[in-house]
Structure formats: structure tokens, C-alpha cells
Amino acid sequence: MPFIGKVILITGASSGIGAAAAEYFAKKGALLALVGRNAEKFEKVLDKIKASEIDLEPLVILADVSIDAERIMSETIEKYGHLDILINNAGFSIQGTIETLQMDDYDSMMATNVRGVVELTKLAIPYLLETKGNIVNISSAAGIMPVPSNCAYSMSKAALDQFTKCVAMDLAAKGVRCNSVNPGFIETDFHGVERDTDEWAAVEELCAQKHPLQRIGYCDDCVNAIAFLADESANFITGILLRVDGGISTKGAF
């Protein structure tokens, strides 16, 4: 298996896409450094990994990527000695139009969704250069098209997309790839709506109708894309924004 013994650092790994990616790569024999802020959610992730009868116990780092990038990297290297793959997944959204947007919310989103990614990537580069590793950023279809009442979030993901392409160009000649996965509406807790409720059913139906493939996405859809880009079989691919969005970004607006 291509990920056996590979050191993979995943941020935002306590839930959603990050948690699904952690479980996937653990099953593939990777050595994981998992970053998140919620210890209780991490227990559920670790229980799933242990239930798969996997011998390798991940390194769990309780941290905030917007302020703890140096500690995250130092703990990862202290544990494993090197780094093969960085998956920048941590991020959040606070809804608001330009009229209702609070600047504190804007600053918080930019700190996590952009600055934290930039700093952690910068710290990871010396190690990725040694291993000829790669970076996968988890962005959003919102970075490609406007999404109503998501002004700051869409801006942050557009910035992340441009960062992905710039890093890809900066590091290509040195053998390090950088790509992005841009999901549409994915079934996670990210949206602030409790699942298995009438409210969730209504949101899911509405969003499914907006996607040309007539369904919402699932974590596995994104994890399969992440694994493809992180794998050496994609070694001639860098600087792409892989849209895992049911075709919604082709419409130009949500």
C-alpha cells in the first residue's frame, strides 16, 4: 500500500472530512499526526481507528492552527522525525453578508482558514523538501463561486486556492507538489445543523437540488480525492483545484 510508513499531518482531524481522512490513512498504514481542538470528538475518531484493529496509534495534538503552528510542527517532528504529507483541512465558516459581517468574525476566519495554513505550510516545507512530499489543502467550491451570505468564508477559500497555486509554482522545481480539494456541500457537522432532524432533511434536499448530480457530497467523496492527490500515482499533478462538488461550481453560483 502506498501510504505504509508515510508520516501524514492532518489538521481539523477531530470531525468531518479530517476525521474521515484520518481513519482512511490509518487503515492504509500511515503514521498520523492529528490536529484538532476538541478532545471529546477526538475520542470518537480514535475509537473508530482502534475498532479497525490498527496497531499504530496516531499522535493527537490538541491545538489551534491559527496560534499553535510551531508547536504542531515541533511535536510532529519530535514524534516521527520527518514529514511526508501535509493535509491542511482546518477551517470554519460564520455566515454573513457584507452588511452583517462582523470584523472579529472576519479576522477569526482569516486567521484559521488562511494564516494558519500559510504558517504551517511554511514550517513544513523544509521537511517536505527532504522527503519530496506533498501538500493537499482542503478548500471549497465557495472559493471558486460566490455563495450567498458567506462573504468572508468565500474570500478565505479564494485566498487558499491562490495560495495552493503559488506554493505549487514555488516548489515544483524542488519536487514538492501542492494541490487542493474543493468540496461542495458535504454531509458533516460543519454546517451548524444537527443531522437526523427535519431541519437537516430540508437543508439536504435543498442543497441536493442545487448540485447538478442531484445529491449532496459525503466525506468519502473528499477522502478519495485527497488520497489520489497525496499518492505518488499523481506525481505529475500540481497546482490543481480538484472540484469534488457535484458539478455545482460549473453553474457559477450557489
Side-chain angles (χ1 to χ4, degrees):
M1 292 188 292
F3 298 109
I4 290 179
K6 295 287 187 181
V7 176
I8 304 178
L9 171 57
I10 307 173
T11 67
S14 61
S15 63
I17 295 170
E23 187 176 356
Y24 174 91
F25 285 114
K27 290 178 180 177
K28 298 298 182 181
L31 305 174
L32 300 178
L34 306 179
V35 182
R37 296 184 297 180
N38 191 309
E40 183 177 348
K41 287 184 177 180
F42 257 133
E43 288 299 322
K44 297 177 181 178
V45 176
L46 295 176
D47 285 344
K48 285 185 178 181
I49 291 175
K50 291 174 184 176
S52 301
E53 299 183 354
I54 297 163
D55 294 331
L56 302 172
E57 185 171 346
L59 169 66
V60 172
I61 304 172
L62 291 175
D64 182 336
V65 296
S66 70
I67 57 176
D68 296 320
E70 290 189 2
R71 178 166 66 84
I72 291 167
M73 190 54 58
S74 66
E75 289 189 20
T76 300
I77 299 304
E78 181 180 353
K79 171 72 173 180
Y80 296 118
H82 68 280
L83 179 65
D84 296 287
I85 299 165
L86 171 62
I87 300 174
N88 286 308
N89 172 70
F92 73 97
S93 170
I94 298 176
Q95 290 194 330
T97 68
I98 187 58
E99 294 178 290
T100 62
L101 174 65
Q102 300 297 309
M103 294 312 297
D104 286 347
D105 292 339
Y106 172 86
D107 290 339
S108 295
M109 268 188 282
M110 286 297 181
T112 297
N113 297 3
V114 183
R115 191 189 189 285
V117 175
V118 173
E119 184 175 11
L120 192 59
T121 300
K122 184 175 176 64
L123 292 168
I125 286 171
Y127 305 104
L128 295 174
L129 289 174
E130 290 180 1
T131 60
K132 303 302 180 187
N134 70 83
I135 303 159
V136 181
N137 296 324
I138 311 306
S139 183
S140 171
I144 299 168
M145 64 180 191
V147 176
S149 298
N150 269 280
C151 179
Y153 178 71
S154 295
M155 289 172 64
S156 73
K157 292 303 184 179
L160 179 57
D161 288 348
Q162 189 68 6
F163 177 69
T164 296
K165 290 183 280 189
C166 289
V167 172
M169 292 302 96
D170 285 346
L171 301 181
K174 298 180 180 181
V176 174
R177 300 182 296 110
C178 182
N179 293 292
S180 173
V181 172
N182 291 60
F185 187 94
I186 305 297
E187 184 190 35
T188 68
D189 297 331
F190 179 85
H191 310 286
V193 180
E194 187 176 348
R195 281 179 282 175
D196 299 321
T197 63
D198 290 341
E199 183 182 6
W200 173 263
V203 170
E204 180 177 352
E205 182 179 0
L206 174 64
C207 291
Q209 291 172 359
K210 289 181 177 291
H211 290 68
L213 286 182
Q214 296 293 290
R215 71 167 176 90
I216 64 169
Y218 301 99
C219 288
D220 285 349
D221 295 319
C222 296
V223 171
N224 289 336
I226 294 167
F228 166 67
L229 291 174
D231 188 8
E232 280 303 302
S233 62
N235 62 18
F236 201 53
I237 299 174
T238 194
I240 72 158
L241 312 179
L242 182 52
R243 305 180 186 190
V244 185
D245 65 359
I248 195 168
S249 60
T250 63
K251 296 170 60 176
F254 190 79

